[in-house]
Amino acid sequence: MVRGKTQMKRIENAASRQVTFSKRRNGLLKKAFELSVLCDAEVALIIFSPRGKLYEFSSSCMSKTIERYQKRSKDQGLNGKSEGTNQHVKEDTQSLEKKLELLEVSKRKLLGDGLELCPIDELQQVENQLERSLTKIRARKNQLYREQIEQLREQEKFQLEENAKLRAKCGLPPLHPSSKQREVNRRSLDVETELFIGPPKR
């Protein structure tokens, strides 16, 4: 009677699955033993049953074999990664060196150094860049001035309210500043912050 070929899929019947596990486990352990004896190989075999029971075979100390395996795997992984990592690091270093050199050249030009060999269009670009920077600086400075003015106005309002409360507690009549005095106070807080750079007007 010809034995049929076993289909490689999970055995659904629990009893058949247990019988097959026992037979093949014993065969696998036997083959591992034969391989270690016939070929003088260091063999370690670990099997966990579906219920979690442990079966193992080792031609030498199991822990030493596992430690040797882990060390070898780590060395191979590091060697494989180190080659690619070194190449990436080299490329990144060269790219960063080029960028740093360009930044240094640009910085010197903005400071007015190394402009002797620059053509007219490059000088125009440097001038435009400086003007854009000045515009941003002035806008930021004006914003800070406006914020400070608003804070001073809030403080003035708070002080006036506190003054009125204290005068009321003391039985004094409230102060009513004239419209002229209010206009003077308002103008004193409006600070001119526009900055002009260039030759004086004739």
Side-chain angles (χ1 to χ4, degrees):
M1 182 176 179
V2 181
R3 186 176 179 182
K5 186 177 181 181
T6 304
Q7 189 175 3
M8 286 294 110
K9 69 175 185 177
R10 181 177 182 272
I11 300 173
E12 297 299 332
N13 186 276
S16 299
R17 188 167 60 243
Q18 183 61 35
V19 171
T20 302
F21 172 77
S22 299
K23 290 181 178 179
R24 297 202 174 222
R25 178 202 65 209
N26 293 335
L28 185 59
L29 291 170
K30 182 180 178 182
K31 291 292 184 184
F33 170 74
E34 292 174 354
L35 181 62
S36 65
V37 173
L38 295 175
C39 303
D40 195 22
E42 185 176 351
V43 180
L45 175 64
I46 300 174
I47 303 173
F48 283 99
S49 71
R51 297 180 181 179
K53 190 174 180 180
L54 172 64
Y55 301 91
E56 62 178 312
F57 166 80
S58 177
S59 59
S60 61
C61 179
M62 175 67 76
S63 59
K64 290 183 179 180
T65 304
I66 293 176
E67 184 179 352
R68 181 180 177 185
Y69 165 75
Q70 291 175 342
K71 184 178 179 181
R72 178 60 63 86
S73 298
K74 184 177 180 181
D75 292 341
Q76 290 179 349
L78 290 176
N79 291 335
K81 291 180 180 179
S82 61
E83 294 178 0
T85 303
N86 291 337
Q87 183 66 23
H88 288 302
V89 169
K90 186 177 180 181
E91 293 175 357
D92 292 342
T93 303
Q94 293 175 350
S95 176
L96 290 175
E97 287 178 352
K98 291 180 180 178
K99 290 180 180 179
L100 183 60
E101 185 178 354
L102 292 175
L103 287 174
E104 288 292 336
V105 172
S106 177
K107 178 183 175 182
R108 288 196 296 269
K109 289 179 180 178
L110 290 175
L111 294 175
D113 298 331
L115 300 177
E116 295 80 7
L117 302 178
C118 294
I120 187 66
D121 55 345
E122 189 172 351
L123 291 174
Q124 186 66 43
Q125 291 178 0
V126 174
E127 183 180 5
N128 293 338
Q129 187 174 357
L130 287 172
E131 289 178 354
R132 288 193 297 269
S133 299
L134 280 174
T135 301
K136 293 180 180 179
I137 292 171
R138 291 169 186 158
R140 176 59 180 165
K141 186 181 68 173
N142 291 338
Q143 180 184 357
L144 291 177
Y145 277 135
R146 286 192 295 269
E147 291 176 357
Q148 291 178 1
I149 290 170
E150 290 298 325
Q151 290 177 359
L152 290 173
R153 285 177 176 169
E154 291 294 329
Q155 291 177 5
E156 180 191 24
K157 182 179 178 182
F158 176 77
Q159 294 294 336
L160 290 174
E161 291 175 354
E162 290 294 321
N163 192 11
K165 291 178 182 178
L166 291 174
R167 292 182 69 86
K169 286 183 179 180
C170 296
L172 299 175
L175 290 177
H176 296 288
S178 62
S179 59
K180 184 177 181 180
Q181 182 65 33
R182 288 197 298 269
E183 181 66 19
V184 171
N185 292 338
R186 188 185 64 81
R187 289 183 178 179
S188 65
L189 291 175
D190 292 337
V191 180
E192 293 292 335
T193 60
E194 293 296 328
L195 179 65
F196 174 76
I197 296 178
K201 295 182 179 179
R202 297 291 183 183

